Amino acid sequence: MNPLSQLPSVDRLLSATALASLVDAHGRAVVTGMVREVLAAARAAIKEGGGLPDEADLVEKVGAGVTAKMRPRLRPVFNLTGTVLHTNLGRAPLPEEAVQALINAARNPCALEYDIESGGRGDRDNVVDELLCELTGAEAATVVNNNAAAVFLLLNTLAQKKQVIVSRGELIEIGGAFRVPDIMSRAGAKLVEVGTTNRTHLKDFAENINPRTAMLMKVHASNYAIHGFTHAVPEAELAALAHQHTLPFVIDLGSGTLADLAAYGLPHEPTPAEAIAAGADLVTFSGDKLLGGPQAGLLVGRKDLIAKIKKNPLKRALRVGKLTLAALEAVLALYRDPDRLHLRVTAVRQLTRPEADIAAQAARLLPALQSALAGLPVTVEIVALKSQIGSGSLPVDRLPSAGFAVKPQGKRGGILNRIEQGLRALPKPVIGRIEEGALLLDLRCLAEHEESGFAAQLSALSGLGA
Ligand SMILES: *Cc1c(COP(=O)(O)O)cnc(C)c1O
């Protein structure tokens, strides 16, 4: 008999008891679709000369297919890469206060563009602009989708068909195709490069100012550093020069933390407040880098300039939603208490976490990892590591940390790849890194309350030996 005609029907497979709970959970349409896919694949395999598959195998394939299809794509993971603000892993995790604010705003109507006192229309920037001014010393503030959008909007508003003078040492590329010259041309502004890669002087700017100049701009070279024979013009001197010519001086700060990180033993990162105090007319920075908030681009500075920016029709296209504003407001509010940032802002807590604390956690978790990998030809040890801040913040600085190094016994390097894949296949994937012949798991970003969940799922790795 032709095996094709012996394949079970869609209805027959659907009625398998093993699939009833899937229909319950995900609905008939999804399971029916998968049954059809699995039957089509079985038919194709038979046409290629294969035999009639077991009905139980078909049911199992449908189950696995539906489970995989319905699993969310945006899954939480353990970030053990050693990079705290990992752009590919969503940058800063939000503090609990921000998570609660976000849930509240998501679940309920909220006064997003509504003035509760007057009962009239409001402006969504009002959710955070006073806080931003308080924390930076600026006169006005506005918020857009991310810092790239902030830079774009400010150039498009103030420098369209005009010239923007930038030092050659600051024509940077941030990962993910943000390049200063490209953003500039897309915004309709003409870039005027001055100075050299390593040294730029005030006269380089002064000599290039003409009636078509729109502004002087400084871009924080976030993700790289130049050492040796270097010179950059101090902000205050650039501001003074710009103001002599009644031009604005703007700074793209990149990360722009609102706190003095040096107080926590981290290297100093320039703050928007310092930039404003030095005479900058506009400053832009990210919400989800060192600030530790949601993805957003913050623009602070002179009232008249912010007002112009807000009138640009592109502001509407680049604006943020209520979820972002809710989270941002909650995070900014935490900065009113700078003494406790390291306890309350998750990203700051991770960045300031003491090495000894991380090493103690490694000691607690070592037995679980060792027993999970027991049958495999590898050694597991606790090692000192260096975390990095990430997202182009403080690129050359490393934070002393601790974690695990899994090394192959003998020359069988392939085992590391298998373990690394196995870690990624866990219910909550664990993302580490392979470096110089070892699989490294940096524990800096593993919170204490996540420890037991982390350890509990490791036992699934023991299947890797087979
Ligand atoms: C990160 C960064 C940007 C881009 O910020 P996003 O918030 O990622 O859009 C722009 N400029 C500088 C200097 C940066 O460091």
Side-chain angles (χ1 to χ4, degrees):
M1 234 221 279
N2 180 359
L4 278 178
S5 63
Q6 287 173 272
L7 274 176
S9 69
V10 171
D11 283 342
R12 185 180 159 81
L13 276 190
L14 263 181
S15 64
T17 41
L19 295 185
S21 66
L22 283 179
V23 173
D24 253 7
H26 305 296
R28 208 171 172 77
V30 170
V31 184
T32 309
M34 191 55 64
V35 164
R36 292 213 164 93
E37 268 182 47
V38 167
L39 283 174
R43 247 178 255 121
I46 290 169
K47 282 181 189 156
E48 297 279 307
L52 182 70
D54 246 16
E55 194 164 315
D57 284 350
L58 292 175
V59 169
E60 199 181 302
K61 276 192 179 138
V62 172
V66 169
T67 307
K69 185 184 179 122
M70 297 310 285
R71 196 166 54 196
R73 295 293 183 272
L74 193 58
R75 286 162 66 200
V77 301
F78 287 111
N79 172 13
L80 304 194
T81 61
T83 301
V84 177
L85 301 169
H86 199 302
T87 298
N88 304 143
L89 301 180
R91 290 195 185 157
L94 290 177
E96 203 43 43
E97 287 84 349
V99 172
Q100 286 311 318
L102 192 147
I103 291 172
N104 256 334
R107 195 171 277 147
N108 304 297
C110 55
L112 178 63
E113 290 186 351
Y114 184 78
D115 182 356
I116 293 175
E117 252 148 58
S118 70
R121 198 173 188 292
D123 173 349
R124 68 179 63 205
D125 280 338
N126 294 157
V127 176
V128 291
D129 59 4
E130 274 175 30
L131 251 170
L132 276 168
C133 292
E134 179 188 318
L135 294 166
T136 62
E139 291 172 5
T142 184
V143 186
V144 288
N145 180 59
N146 57 13
N147 188 34
V151 173
F152 176 81
L153 187 62
L154 108 74
L155 290 170
N156 181 264
T157 309
L158 304 175
Q160 204 178 21
K161 301 204 178 99
K162 290 185 164 177
Q163 299 180 352
V164 177
I165 310 180
V166 186
S167 159
R168 286 204 167 84
E170 298 171 0
L171 297 179
I172 53 162
E173 172 182 310
I174 314 282
F178 176 90
R179 286 177 153 192
V180 171
D182 296 346
I183 279 276
M184 197 76 77
S185 66
R186 286 287 173 158
K190 177 151 183 354
L191 170 66
V192 177
E193 316 173 11
V194 301
T196 62
T197 304
N198 58 330
R199 291 174 69 84
T200 301
H201 304 280
L202 191 64
K203 71 171 172 28
D204 295 322
F205 284 88
E207 284 166 2
N208 282 283
I209 294 176
N210 66 49
R212 294 191 55 212
T213 306
M215 63 175 71
L216 308 189
M217 183 171 189
K218 186 171 177 67
V219 182
H220 186 48
S222 324
N223 54 3
Y224 82 117
I226 308 184
H227 293 285
F229 188 54
T230 65
H231 186 258
V233 187
E235 278 91 344
E237 290 179 30
L238 277 176
L241 176 65
H243 298 160
Q244 270 168 34
H245 294 269
T246 57
L247 293 171
F249 169 50
V250 312
I251 306 183
D252 170 12
L253 262 191
S255 208
T257 168
L258 293 171
D260 177 13
L261 293 182
Y264 294 103
L266 290 169
H268 180 77
E269 174 80 4
T271 66
E274 287 164 0
I276 296 286
D281 299 284
L282 279 173
V283 182
T284 78
F285 53 104
S286 287
D288 56 353
K289 291 185 180 174
L290 284 174
L291 184 66
Q295 178 189 307
L298 313 175
L299 280 137
V300 301
R302 246 166 61 192
K303 207 171 180 164
D304 59 325
L305 299 178
I306 294 284
K308 268 193 189 166
I309 286 170
K310 288 175 69 147
K311 283 204 196 98
N312 186 332
L314 283 170
K315 166 68 167 51
R316 175 67 170 75
L318 301 173
R319 76 183 186 186
V320 290
K322 63 178 180 173
L323 302 185
T324 298
L325 283 168
L328 185 60
E329 181 185 22
V331 172
L332 290 174
L334 296 177
Y335 279 85
R336 282 180 162 151
D337 180 8
D339 301 336
R340 282 190 291 173
L341 290 176
H342 62 297
L343 303 173
R344 300 168 79 192
V345 178
T346 315
V348 177
R349 189 173 68 221
Q350 292 176 340
L351 291 169
T352 57
R353 194 171 165 205
E355 184 184 2
D357 188 42
I358 308 170
Q361 181 177 50
R364 287 195 295 278
L365 289 170
L366 181 66
L369 186 61
Q370 270 174 335
S371 87
L373 300 179
L376 301 172
V378 290
T379 58
V380 185
E381 53 183 329
I382 295 176
V383 286
L385 294 169
K386 296 264 186 236
S387 317
Q388 43 182 342
I389 296 172
S391 279
S393 309
L394 308 162
V396 283
D397 298 293
R398 292 287 183 275
L399 312 170
S401 184
F404 301 117
V406 180
K407 293 181 188 160
Q409 278 168 348
K411 290 211 166 72
R412 299 180 47 199
I415 186 68
L416 286 192
N417 290 322
R418 264 201 289 152
I419 297 173
E420 190 265 343
Q421 283 164 22
L423 286 166
R424 278 191 281 116
L426 292 172
K428 181 166 172 179
V430 175
I431 318 291
R433 69 182 202 270
I434 291 181
E435 202 175 275
E436 290 170 13
L439 169 61
L440 303 178
L441 303 175
D442 186 323
L443 295 179
R444 171 174 296 278
C445 296
L446 185 70
E448 232 163 81
H449 69 88
E450 296 172 319
E451 259 176 44
S452 55
F454 172 78
Q457 63 167 5
L458 287 179
S459 59
L461 290 176
S462 51
L464 290 174

Short mmCIF file of all heavy atoms in Angstrom, two decimals, residues 3-4 6-10 12-14 16 18-19 22 31 34-43 45-46 51-66:
data_model
loop_
_atom_site.label_atom_id
_atom_site.label_comp_id
_atom_site.label_asym_id
_atom_site.label_seq_id
_atom_site.Cartn_x
_atom_site.Cartn_y
_atom_site.Cartn_z
N PRO A 3 2.42 4.35 1.27
CA PRO A 3 2.50 4.90 2.63
C PRO A 3 1.87 6.28 2.75
O PRO A 3 1.40 6.67 3.82
CB PRO A 3 4.00 4.94 2.94
CG PRO A 3 4.72 4.68 1.66
CD PRO A 3 3.76 4.07 0.70
N LEU A 4 1.85 7.03 1.64
CA LEU A 4 1.24 8.38 1.69
C LEU A 4 -0.21 8.30 2.16
O LEU A 4 -0.67 9.11 2.96
CB LEU A 4 1.29 9.04 0.31
CG LEU A 4 2.61 9.73 -0.08
CD1 LEU A 4 2.50 10.29 -1.49
CD2 LEU A 4 2.98 10.81 0.92
N GLN A 6 -1.47 6.14 4.00
CA GLN A 6 -1.60 5.63 5.37
C GLN A 6 -1.30 6.68 6.43
O GLN A 6 -1.42 6.42 7.63
CB GLN A 6 -0.66 4.44 5.57
CG GLN A 6 -1.15 3.19 4.85
CD GLN A 6 -0.11 2.10 4.94
OE1 GLN A 6 0.76 2.02 4.09
NE2 GLN A 6 -0.19 1.32 5.98
N LEU A 7 -0.83 7.86 6.00
CA LEU A 7 -0.58 8.94 6.99
C LEU A 7 -1.89 9.29 7.69
O LEU A 7 -2.93 9.34 7.04
CB LEU A 7 -0.03 10.18 6.28
CG LEU A 7 1.48 10.27 6.04
CD1 LEU A 7 1.80 11.52 5.26
CD2 LEU A 7 2.26 10.23 7.34
N PRO A 8 -1.85 9.56 8.98
CA PRO A 8 -3.08 9.93 9.67
C PRO A 8 -3.63 11.27 9.14
O PRO A 8 -2.88 12.08 8.62
CB PRO A 8 -2.66 10.05 11.14
CG PRO A 8 -1.18 10.21 11.12
CD PRO A 8 -0.69 9.53 9.88
N SER A 9 -4.92 11.46 9.32
CA SER A 9 -5.52 12.73 8.88
C SER A 9 -5.21 13.83 9.90
O SER A 9 -4.81 13.54 11.03
CB SER A 9 -7.03 12.56 8.76
OG SER A 9 -7.56 12.41 10.07
N VAL A 10 -5.45 15.06 9.49
CA VAL A 10 -5.27 16.21 10.39
C VAL A 10 -6.13 16.02 11.64
O VAL A 10 -5.67 16.18 12.77
CB VAL A 10 -5.63 17.53 9.67
CG1 VAL A 10 -5.66 18.69 10.65
CG2 VAL A 10 -4.65 17.81 8.54
N ARG A 12 -7.38 13.33 12.93
CA ARG A 12 -6.96 12.22 13.79
C ARG A 12 -5.79 12.66 14.70
O ARG A 12 -5.80 12.42 15.92
CB ARG A 12 -6.55 11.03 12.93
CG ARG A 12 -6.23 9.83 13.77
CD ARG A 12 -5.82 8.62 12.94
NE ARG A 12 -5.06 7.73 13.79
CZ ARG A 12 -5.64 6.87 14.65
NH1 ARG A 12 -6.95 6.78 14.71
NH2 ARG A 12 -4.89 6.11 15.44
N LEU A 13 -4.80 13.34 14.10
CA LEU A 13 -3.67 13.81 14.91
C LEU A 13 -4.13 14.80 15.98
O LEU A 13 -3.71 14.77 17.12
CB LEU A 13 -2.60 14.46 14.05
CG LEU A 13 -1.58 13.54 13.36
CD1 LEU A 13 -0.48 14.38 12.75
CD2 LEU A 13 -0.98 12.54 14.36
N LEU A 14 -5.01 15.71 15.53
CA LEU A 14 -5.51 16.73 16.46
C LEU A 14 -6.21 16.13 17.67
O LEU A 14 -6.18 16.71 18.76
CB LEU A 14 -6.51 17.64 15.73
CG LEU A 14 -5.99 18.95 15.16
CD1 LEU A 14 -7.14 19.70 14.52
CD2 LEU A 14 -5.33 19.80 16.23
N ALA A 16 -5.36 13.52 19.23
CA ALA A 16 -4.44 12.80 20.12
C ALA A 16 -4.50 13.44 21.51
O ALA A 16 -4.46 14.66 21.64
CB ALA A 16 -3.02 12.85 19.57
N ALA A 18 -2.33 13.65 23.72
CA ALA A 18 -1.13 14.40 24.07
C ALA A 18 -1.22 15.85 23.58
O ALA A 18 -0.52 16.73 24.08
CB ALA A 18 0.09 13.73 23.47
N LEU A 19 -2.07 16.10 22.58
CA LEU A 19 -2.14 17.47 22.04
C LEU A 19 -3.27 18.29 22.68
O LEU A 19 -3.34 19.50 22.47
CB LEU A 19 -2.34 17.43 20.53
CG LEU A 19 -1.16 16.82 19.73
CD1 LEU A 19 -1.42 16.94 18.23
CD2 LEU A 19 0.16 17.49 20.08
N LEU A 22 -2.15 21.25 24.61
CA LEU A 22 -1.61 22.32 23.75
C LEU A 22 -2.74 23.13 23.14
O LEU A 22 -2.65 24.35 23.02
CB LEU A 22 -0.75 21.73 22.64
CG LEU A 22 0.65 21.25 23.02
CD1 LEU A 22 1.35 20.68 21.80
CD2 LEU A 22 1.47 22.39 23.61
N VAL A 31 -2.32 24.81 16.79
CA VAL A 31 -1.99 23.38 16.79
C VAL A 31 -2.34 22.77 15.43
O VAL A 31 -1.57 21.99 14.86
CB VAL A 31 -2.70 22.65 17.95
CG1 VAL A 31 -2.26 21.18 18.00
CG2 VAL A 31 -2.40 23.32 19.28
N MET A 34 0.32 23.56 12.95
CA MET A 34 1.53 22.77 13.15
C MET A 34 1.31 21.33 12.68
O MET A 34 2.20 20.73 12.09
CB MET A 34 1.95 22.82 14.62
CG MET A 34 3.33 22.25 14.91
SD MET A 34 4.67 23.01 13.92
CE MET A 34 4.63 24.70 14.52
N VAL A 35 0.10 20.78 12.92
CA VAL A 35 -0.21 19.43 12.44
C VAL A 35 -0.04 19.40 10.92
O VAL A 35 0.57 18.48 10.35
CB VAL A 35 -1.64 19.02 12.85
CG1 VAL A 35 -2.12 17.81 12.04
CG2 VAL A 35 -1.70 18.73 14.34
N ARG A 36 -0.55 20.41 10.25
CA ARG A 36 -0.43 20.46 8.79
C ARG A 36 1.04 20.51 8.37
O ARG A 36 1.44 19.83 7.43
CB ARG A 36 -1.17 21.69 8.23
CG ARG A 36 -2.66 21.61 8.39
CD ARG A 36 -3.40 22.30 7.23
NE ARG A 36 -4.78 21.87 7.22
CZ ARG A 36 -5.79 22.51 7.84
NH1 ARG A 36 -5.54 23.65 8.46
NH2 ARG A 36 -7.00 22.03 7.81
N GLU A 37 1.83 21.35 9.08
CA GLU A 37 3.26 21.45 8.74
C GLU A 37 3.95 20.10 8.89
O GLU A 37 4.74 19.69 8.05
CB GLU A 37 3.96 22.45 9.69
CG GLU A 37 4.01 23.88 9.17
CD GLU A 37 4.74 24.81 10.14
OE1 GLU A 37 5.85 24.45 10.61
OE2 GLU A 37 4.21 25.89 10.45
N VAL A 38 3.65 19.43 10.00
CA VAL A 38 4.33 18.16 10.29
C VAL A 38 3.91 17.11 9.27
O VAL A 38 4.74 16.34 8.77
CB VAL A 38 4.01 17.71 11.75
CG1 VAL A 38 4.42 16.26 11.97
CG2 VAL A 38 4.72 18.63 12.74
N LEU A 39 2.62 17.09 8.91
CA LEU A 39 2.16 16.12 7.91
C LEU A 39 2.77 16.41 6.54
O LEU A 39 3.16 15.48 5.81
CB LEU A 39 0.63 16.14 7.82
CG LEU A 39 -0.10 15.41 8.97
CD1 LEU A 39 -1.61 15.62 8.84
CD2 LEU A 39 0.23 13.92 8.98
N ALA A 40 2.91 17.69 6.20
CA ALA A 40 3.52 18.04 4.91
C ALA A 40 4.97 17.58 4.87
O ALA A 40 5.44 17.04 3.85
CB ALA A 40 3.44 19.56 4.68
N ALA A 41 5.67 17.76 6.00
CA ALA A 41 7.07 17.32 6.06
C ALA A 41 7.15 15.80 5.94
O ALA A 41 8.04 15.27 5.27
CB ALA A 41 7.72 17.80 7.36
N ALA A 42 6.20 15.10 6.58
CA ALA A 42 6.20 13.64 6.52
C ALA A 42 5.94 13.16 5.10
O ALA A 42 6.60 12.25 4.59
CB ALA A 42 5.15 13.07 7.48
N ARG A 43 5.01 13.83 4.41
CA ARG A 43 4.71 13.48 3.01
C ARG A 43 5.95 13.67 2.15
O ARG A 43 6.30 12.81 1.33
CB ARG A 43 3.58 14.38 2.50
CG ARG A 43 2.29 13.62 2.22
CD ARG A 43 1.18 14.55 1.76
NE ARG A 43 0.22 14.76 2.82
CZ ARG A 43 -0.11 15.91 3.38
NH1 ARG A 43 0.46 17.03 2.96
NH2 ARG A 43 -0.98 15.97 4.35
N ALA A 45 9.01 13.58 3.09
CA ALA A 45 10.02 12.58 3.42
C ALA A 45 9.69 11.24 2.76
O ALA A 45 10.58 10.55 2.27
CB ALA A 45 10.12 12.43 4.94
N ILE A 46 8.40 10.91 2.70
CA ILE A 46 7.99 9.65 2.07
C ILE A 46 8.29 9.69 0.57
O ILE A 46 8.81 8.74 0.00
CB ILE A 46 6.48 9.38 2.32
CG1 ILE A 46 6.27 9.05 3.80
CG2 ILE A 46 5.97 8.25 1.43
CD1 ILE A 46 4.81 9.02 4.23
N GLY A 51 10.11 5.87 4.97
CA GLY A 51 8.99 4.99 5.33
C GLY A 51 7.89 5.76 6.03
O GLY A 51 7.96 6.99 6.18
N LEU A 52 6.87 5.05 6.42
CA LEU A 52 5.74 5.66 7.13
C LEU A 52 6.15 5.95 8.58
O LEU A 52 6.59 5.05 9.28
CB LEU A 52 4.56 4.68 7.11
CG LEU A 52 3.28 5.18 7.79
CD1 LEU A 52 2.63 6.29 6.97
CD2 LEU A 52 2.29 4.02 7.96
N PRO A 53 6.06 7.20 9.01
CA PRO A 53 6.47 7.52 10.39
C PRO A 53 5.46 7.00 11.40
O PRO A 53 4.28 6.83 11.08
CB PRO A 53 6.53 9.04 10.40
CG PRO A 53 5.64 9.49 9.31
CD PRO A 53 5.58 8.38 8.29
N ASP A 54 5.94 6.78 12.61
CA ASP A 54 5.07 6.40 13.73
C ASP A 54 4.12 7.54 14.06
O ASP A 54 4.53 8.70 14.07
CB ASP A 54 5.96 6.24 14.98
CG ASP A 54 5.97 4.81 15.44
OD1 ASP A 54 5.57 3.95 14.65
OD2 ASP A 54 6.39 4.60 16.59
N GLU A 55 2.89 7.21 14.37
CA GLU A 55 1.96 8.28 14.73
C GLU A 55 2.44 9.02 15.99
O GLU A 55 2.34 10.24 16.10
CB GLU A 55 0.57 7.69 14.96
CG GLU A 55 -0.49 8.78 14.99
CD GLU A 55 -1.90 8.21 14.83
OE1 GLU A 55 -2.10 7.36 13.96
OE2 GLU A 55 -2.78 8.65 15.59
N ALA A 56 2.98 8.26 16.93
CA ALA A 56 3.48 8.89 18.17
C ALA A 56 4.59 9.90 17.87
O ALA A 56 4.66 10.96 18.50
CB ALA A 56 3.98 7.82 19.13
N ASP A 57 5.44 9.57 16.87
CA ASP A 57 6.51 10.51 16.51
C ASP A 57 5.92 11.81 15.94
O ASP A 57 6.41 12.91 16.22
CB ASP A 57 7.42 9.89 15.43
CG ASP A 57 8.35 8.85 16.04
OD1 ASP A 57 8.40 8.78 17.28
OD2 ASP A 57 8.99 8.11 15.25
N LEU A 58 4.87 11.63 15.12
CA LEU A 58 4.25 12.81 14.52
C LEU A 58 3.67 13.71 15.61
O LEU A 58 3.83 14.93 15.59
CB LEU A 58 3.15 12.39 13.54
CG LEU A 58 3.63 11.67 12.28
CD1 LEU A 58 2.45 11.18 11.45
CD2 LEU A 58 4.52 12.58 11.44
N VAL A 59 2.99 13.07 16.58
CA VAL A 59 2.39 13.84 17.68
C VAL A 59 3.49 14.57 18.46
O VAL A 59 3.37 15.76 18.79
CB VAL A 59 1.58 12.91 18.60
CG1 VAL A 59 1.19 13.64 19.89
CG2 VAL A 59 0.33 12.42 17.89
N GLU A 60 4.60 13.88 18.68
CA GLU A 60 5.69 14.51 19.43
C GLU A 60 6.24 15.71 18.67
O GLU A 60 6.53 16.76 19.25
CB GLU A 60 6.78 13.46 19.66
CG GLU A 60 7.72 13.84 20.79
CD GLU A 60 8.81 12.79 20.97
OE1 GLU A 60 8.45 11.62 21.19
OE2 GLU A 60 9.98 13.16 20.86
N LYS A 61 6.36 15.55 17.35
CA LYS A 61 6.88 16.66 16.53
C LYS A 61 5.95 17.87 16.61
O LYS A 61 6.40 19.01 16.65
CB LYS A 61 7.03 16.22 15.07
CG LYS A 61 8.34 15.50 14.84
CD LYS A 61 8.61 15.34 13.35
CE LYS A 61 9.95 14.63 13.17
NZ LYS A 61 9.92 13.62 12.11
N VAL A 62 4.64 17.58 16.57
CA VAL A 62 3.67 18.69 16.66
C VAL A 62 3.86 19.40 18.00
O VAL A 62 3.91 20.63 18.07
CB VAL A 62 2.22 18.17 16.51
CG1 VAL A 62 1.23 19.29 16.80
CG2 VAL A 62 2.00 17.61 15.11
N GLY A 63 3.98 18.62 19.07
CA GLY A 63 4.14 19.20 20.40
C GLY A 63 5.38 20.08 20.47
O GLY A 63 5.32 21.23 20.91
N ALA A 64 6.50 19.53 19.97
CA ALA A 64 7.76 20.29 20.03
C ALA A 64 7.65 21.54 19.16
O ALA A 64 8.11 22.63 19.54
CB ALA A 64 8.91 19.41 19.56
N GLY A 65 7.01 21.39 18.01
CA GLY A 65 6.88 22.52 17.09
C GLY A 65 6.05 23.65 17.69
O GLY A 65 6.42 24.82 17.61
N VAL A 66 4.92 23.27 18.31
CA VAL A 66 4.05 24.30 18.91
C VAL A 66 4.77 24.98 20.07
O VAL A 66 4.76 26.22 20.19
CB VAL A 66 2.72 23.68 19.38
CG1 VAL A 66 1.94 24.69 20.24
CG2 VAL A 66 1.88 23.25 18.19
#
